[in-house]
Amino acid sequence: MFNPELLNIISYKLHKLNIDNISDVKDSEEFYYSVDNKIDLGFNEEHYLIQAILDIDIQKISEKDERVLAKSLISIEYVFHVENFQELHKFDENGVIGVDKNLTINISAVAYSTTRGLLLDRFRDTAFDNFILPIIDASKDIITNSQS
């Protein structure tokens, strides 16, 4: 049975953080953000590890004319240790791993929320200053390779 207290982040690495200011924004200009998320999960059965690579694409868009004012691409890798991983996965007759859905949802949620905090700092004094990743339902709003 999945227990979040048995889940630990053991490392993270920021692979990419690109911020492109495409257009100057006037102080009075109204804008909104578009955010797309994808996470790829990899599993190391022997060491009870899960690698999660989270990719986020953020666009700052003018409400007036739908121009993209700025965009950011982020890719960050997390490695989690799951103390009871042996209880949370099994292999089918073709050797394909099946992993407990609660585990994959929680991995996605922790990676996403941790990234929210990291980006608050990294976006300071950029076109995305004061942008906060929205709170989401990780079971629906992050596309994972475990859903395919």
Side-chain angles (χ1 to χ4, degrees), residues 38-132:
K38 177 180 81 95
I39 193 163
D40 288 318
L41 303 176
F43 306 96
N44 179 317
E45 175 191 21
E46 181 181 349
H47 298 288
Y48 301 174
L49 301 177
I50 298 177
Q51 176 192 49
I53 299 176
L54 178 62
D55 295 314
I56 302 175
D57 180 358
I58 306 168
Q59 295 187 356
K60 185 176 188 176
I61 301 169
S62 168
E63 284 189 3
K64 179 181 171 186
D65 56 13
E66 298 296 312
R67 270 179 309 129
V68 175
L69 304 170
K71 63 182 176 178
S72 181
L73 297 172
I74 300 103
S75 182
I76 189 164
E77 172 186 349
Y78 294 91
V79 177
F80 294 86
H81 180 262
V82 184
E83 292 179 34
N84 65 334
F85 187 60
Q86 74 280 1
E87 300 169 17
L88 300 171
H89 76 284
K90 61 184 174 187
F91 290 93
D92 67 13
E93 61 278 354
N94 298 320
V96 176
I97 193 169
V99 180
D100 182 282
K101 187 175 182 177
N102 288 322
L103 174 59
T104 59
I105 289 169
N106 276 273
I107 291 281
S108 298
V110 170
Y112 185 85
S113 62
T114 302
T115 301
R116 180 183 301 115
L118 293 170
L119 292 180
L120 280 170
D121 181 57
R122 298 291 182 129
F123 281 164
R124 190 172 296 130
D125 299 324
T126 72
F128 292 96
D129 197 7
N130 296 317
F131 171 78
I132 301 172

